[in-house]
Each structure stands twice: as C-alpha cells, then as structure tokens.
Amino acid sequence: MKKTVLVCVLSAVMMLTSCGVSNKTILRYQKMETGVSNPTTIEELKDAIKKYGERASDVQLANSQIGIWYKILGTKYIDNKMYGEALKCFQEALKYYPDNQNLYYYVGVCAGYMSHASLDFGGSGTTEVKYNYLKLAEEAYLRAISIEDRYVRALYGLGVLYVFELDEPEKAIPHLEKAISIDTKNLDAMFVLARAYYSNYEFDKSAAMYDKIIATTKSAETKATAEENKKTVLDAAYSN
C-alpha cells in the first residue's frame, strides 16, 4: 500500500511539472513524498538533506532545496561555533548556488576562524595549514564582492583579514574606505581603517579617522578608546 501511495505522489508531481504548475505546488508534493516540512534543528536539516538527496532525480526543485538547507545548516553550525562543519556545508551549498555572495562571505568567516584552530599538532614547524585557510578566506571575500561590490560585510571581513591576519594593511584600505562610504556610521570598519592607516604610516589619516569615530559614536567607552588610540597615533607621528 505504501509503495502504491509513493508511486501516485510521484506521478502527480510529474504531471504537475509538465503542466507548468507553480514551484510552491511542486514543493508541497515534495514534502508529502519525503515527509519533510520545515526543518529547523541541525538533526532535522541533516535528515531533510538526506531524504531530498535520495529523491533528487525524481522530484523537480530538489537540488535547489538541498542547497538552501545546506546554507541554513551551515549557519546553525556557526551559531554553535562549529566552524569546520559549517565550512563543509557552505562548500556543498555552493555546488547548487555558485553565484551567491552570502555563501562566499560565510566561507570567508569560517575559514578565518579555522585558521586560528590550525595548530601545528604534528610538530612540523610550519604554518602551511593556517596560511591556506587565510588565503581561502581572502579568495572567498574577494569572490563575494566581485558578485556584489557594495557588500559591506565582505568588504569589512576582507579589511580585518588584511590588517590583523595577513599583515597587508595597504590592501585593506580601499575596501574599508568603500565600506564606510556605503555604511557611513559603521564604527567597526572605521576602527579597522584607522588601524590600517596607522600600520601603513599614514598617521594624519589615522588620526582623522579616530576623530570621525569620536564625532559619530554616542558611547563613552568607544569614544575613550578612540581618543586613546588617537594619542598613540600622534605620538608615533611626532617620533618620526
């Protein structure tokens, strides 16, 4: 009996597909067939991916749904600080959505975190694994902004990577300048840009950026931090 019901559902879906029925209708039949509705937990998402994967050749839109669930599963892993597992999910999701800037952004975030966990457990004396993760993060952020050039989160992520991880502040500057030209009150980006100017020996620009932070923020703590950093910049300028 169960097999008969399954065959009927599949036949109905094929008929609907050939008649050009809406995606919502097709998805409703997918859910009937697989027993999958709206997965939310990590285990439910993994089970949904497995079930849809098994029927992907039979039901239209299955692949796109799997890609969406891999993305959701990846963000769930990020919420739980499981960056290695999240990275695997976003890698899979990109097979279905290779031009999605958000997926590349998440790859960059996860790769950055994984670089911090890449200790030299074998005692080889190299940092190759860490460096490879950092370059993956760079490539992912660059890909994200090549798709959406006003993507502030990716511009900021790239700036952080260049300033604090790869020690290439000169590369960070144009990306961070663009980020704050789009999001004019992004204090995090301003702080990183001020640091990039300082590391690149552009002391006047660094001090001016701290002034901008002081003028923008309403937080006494943030203002105090900016003032302290500005003093450091001016001391460095006077000593040179």
Side-chain angles (χ1 to χ4, degrees):
M1 177 67 179
K2 187 174 181 179
K3 183 176 180 181
T4 302
V5 172
L6 177 61
V7 171
C8 290
V9 171
L10 283 173
S11 299
V13 173
M14 295 304 292
M15 289 172 61
L16 288 169
T17 302
S18 64
C19 294
V21 177
S22 71
N23 290 350
K24 288 184 180 180
T25 302
I26 296 170
L27 285 171
R28 185 165 65 250
Y29 275 92
Q30 288 178 320
K31 292 171 184 177
M32 289 171 57
E33 179 195 359
T34 61
V36 172
S37 181
N38 294 305
T40 55
T41 68
I42 288 176
E43 289 305 316
E44 288 172 349
L45 286 160
K46 290 169 74 173
D47 184 58
I49 289 168
K50 181 176 183 295
K51 286 181 177 179
Y52 265 57
E54 290 171 349
R55 309 304 306 180
S57 61
D58 298 321
V59 185
Q60 185 179 349
L61 301 179
N63 282 350
S64 62
Q65 191 66 56
I66 292 172
I68 291 168
W69 280 335
Y70 266 123
K71 178 183 176 182
I72 297 172
L73 180 56
T75 58
K76 292 286 184 182
Y77 279 130
I78 287 180
D79 291 342
N80 287 285
K81 302 185 187 301
M82 301 170 66
Y83 300 108
E85 292 301 315
L87 186 58
K88 294 175 187 176
C89 289
F90 296 127
Q91 182 178 359
E92 289 298 317
L94 281 168
K95 294 178 182 178
Y96 302 95
Y97 296 103
D99 294 318
N100 187 297
Q101 67 270 25
N102 296 309
L103 292 175
Y104 289 105
Y105 167 75
Y106 284 125
V107 168
V109 170
C110 292
Y113 276 109
M114 290 305 296
S115 73
H116 297 158
S118 301
L119 303 179
D120 184 20
F121 291 106
S124 64
T126 69
T127 57
E128 181 180 358
V129 175
K130 178 178 180 178
Y131 181 74
N132 287 342
Y133 273 121
L134 291 176
K135 295 305 286 184
L136 172 60
E138 179 188 22
E139 183 180 4
Y141 286 136
L142 288 170
R143 181 73 177 110
I145 62 176
S146 74
I147 297 171
E148 174 50 67
D149 64 351
R150 293 173 61 83
Y151 193 176
V152 171
R153 289 195 298 172
L155 291 165
Y156 171 73
L158 193 56
V160 170
L161 185 71
Y162 283 137
V163 172
F164 297 108
E165 303 292 350
L166 294 173
D167 193 25
E168 297 178 306
E170 71 283 356
K171 289 186 177 182
I173 290 171
H175 299 295
L176 292 167
E177 287 177 339
K178 185 167 187 175
I180 65 170
S181 73
I182 298 166
D183 185 358
T184 58
K185 295 184 179 181
N186 191 322
L187 294 172
D188 290 334
M190 290 180 195
F191 268 107
V192 180
L193 179 55
R195 175 63 179 268
Y197 285 141
Y198 172 77
S199 299
N200 207 42
Y201 302 99
E202 297 182 64
F203 301 123
D204 289 345
K205 288 184 177 181
S206 181
M209 186 54 56
Y210 284 122
D211 282 336
K212 185 172 183 178
I213 293 169
I214 293 166
T216 302
T217 186
K218 295 181 179 179
S219 165
E221 183 179 357
T222 301
K223 185 175 292 187
T225 300
E227 288 172 344
E228 183 178 349
N229 289 355
K230 179 184 175 182
K231 183 179 183 303
T232 300
V233 170
L234 293 176
D235 288 344
Y238 293 142
S239 66
N240 281 272

